[in-house]
Amino acid sequence: MPEAFLAAEPALRLIAFAGVLGLMMVWELAAPRRRREIPRLVRWSNNLALVALDTAILRLAFPLLAVALAVWAEGAGWGLFNVLDAPLWLSLPLSLLVLDLAVYGQHVMFHKVPVLWRFHRMHHADLEFDVTTGLRFHPGEIVVSMIIKLAAVALLGAPALAVLAFEVLLNATSMFNHSNIRLPLKLDRVLRLFVVTPDMHRVHHSVLRHETDSNYGFNLPWWDRLFGTYRAQPESGHDAMIIGIGEFRSRRDLWLDRMLMQPFRGKPGQTSAER
């Protein structure tokens, strides 16, 4: 059973990824939230090339990824839920909650620690906000994030099914809440009680410091409310707000080579709170 589960994992993740990406792209074309200023070919080609590079690096750097580690930890009896022999009905939802909280904490850390911000700011330097922004992460950030995720999975003893579900959900919700889609305001108010919506997360991509340092959640919206980092709307409104950061505002900075070099450019020791 574990071998079959691991063998099916890449196909399941690819199907979910391609399905959500395609759906969001079509939705953006049909009902955009903000006017597009930069040709999609420029941004989409470079952002998706970055996804391919990140995937290749992860496969080379981490032969044992999160789902495989969960299978191994279960067999070895490692991690809290494995030690307690917790039933799946309890360990699965708790694992989803704790892993999502870990991602929230990691996101805050990437904003507050200067060396980590230098890698994470590439995600924020996108000059527009759409589904491909949710996939735009520097390989350095991806590697650090995977190390943190592997540590959380091992310590928690999360079941493999929960880890796979979390990976798929996180990827899907990241594409959803970065999408340039228009939702009815009443629907948005209801949805953001349960999931991070595009209007909620777009505030986090504002050029204004106090707006960037808010709405850190990628999947569940509750952590921002609990820890006081929730901001309902941008000051300028969604149509007028400026996306990005103060640096790297040329279209040339949207190209893959410039994105990869961003952590090594600009002022040293700068965090998001100091821009």
Side-chain angles (χ1 to χ4, degrees):
M1 179 64 180
E3 292 78 8
F5 186 80
L6 290 176
E9 180 214 351
L12 291 173
R13 294 185 61 177
L14 179 60
I15 291 170
F17 168 79
V20 175
L21 178 62
L23 174 62
M24 291 299 106
M25 284 180 166
V26 172
W27 196 342
E28 287 180 344
L29 292 171
R33 181 68 165 89
R34 284 167 53 98
R35 179 179 175 180
R36 178 178 54 85
E37 301 292 342
I38 301 172
R40 290 188 180 90
L41 180 62
V42 173
R43 293 184 53 262
W44 285 10
S45 61
N46 285 280
N47 287 353
L48 293 176
L50 186 62
V51 174
L53 178 62
D54 287 341
T55 302
I57 289 173
L58 279 182
R59 290 294 173 180
L60 290 173
F62 297 94
L64 193 67
L65 294 180
V67 175
L69 178 62
V71 171
W72 177 85
E74 183 178 2
W78 279 37
L80 178 63
F81 291 136
N82 291 321
V83 170
L84 297 177
D85 197 21
L88 185 63
W89 63 263
L90 177 64
S91 61
L92 193 152
L94 287 180
S95 294
L96 294 176
L97 281 173
V98 174
L99 289 173
D100 197 72
L101 176 59
V103 169
Y104 169 88
Q106 169 191 298
H107 194 176
V108 174
M109 182 177 69
F110 267 99
H111 275 253
K112 303 304 181 185
V113 178
V115 68
L116 297 180
W117 167 248
R118 293 182 73 86
F119 287 93
H120 182 62
R121 70 184 179 183
M122 194 208 74
H123 175 66
H124 283 265
D126 202 348
L127 297 180
E128 291 192 353
F129 183 92
D130 68 16
V131 62
T132 65
T133 308
L135 305 169
R136 172 188 160 124
F137 295 95
H138 195 278
E141 177 176 0
I142 290 292
V143 168
V144 174
S145 298
M146 180 55 70
I147 292 171
I148 294 172
K149 186 187 300 180
L150 291 175
V153 168
L155 290 172
L156 192 59
L161 180 60
V163 176
L164 176 59
F166 177 74
E167 296 266 60
V168 170
L169 278 172
L170 186 65
N171 190 253
T173 53
S174 180
M175 287 189 283
F176 167 71
N177 60 44
H178 284 88
S179 294
N180 182 33
I181 58 173
R182 183 176 296 277
L183 292 173
L185 295 180
K186 290 183 179 180
L187 177 60
D188 178 83
R189 282 196 294 269
V190 173
L191 282 179
R192 70 170 59 192
L193 296 175
F194 306 99
V195 67
V196 176
T197 66
D199 274 15
M200 177 179 168
H201 193 69
R202 189 179 296 106
V203 180
H204 181 72
H205 282 256
S206 167
V207 75
L208 300 178
R209 164 188 137 184
H210 59 280
E211 292 184 345
T212 307
D213 293 331
S214 68
N215 297 5
Y216 292 100
F218 265 73
N219 183 16
L220 298 175
W222 309 327
W223 315 122
D224 284 299
R225 297 175 187 271
L226 181 62
F227 295 109
T229 54
Y230 175 70
R231 182 175 292 272
Q233 302 294 338
E235 289 179 359
S236 302
H238 286 282
D239 292 328
M241 70 176 287
I242 300 175
I243 298 292
I245 61 176
E247 298 177 271
F248 316 121
R249 299 206 62 82
S250 74
R251 293 193 180 188
R252 180 67 179 87
D253 288 314
L254 299 174
W255 289 33
L256 181 62
D257 59 333
R258 289 286 187 92
M259 288 194 284
L260 293 175
M261 291 304 297
Q262 279 185 21
F264 314 105
R265 299 168 59 200
K267 299 177 182 179
Q270 192 176 46
T271 66
S272 66
E274 295 168 341
R275 291 204 304 280

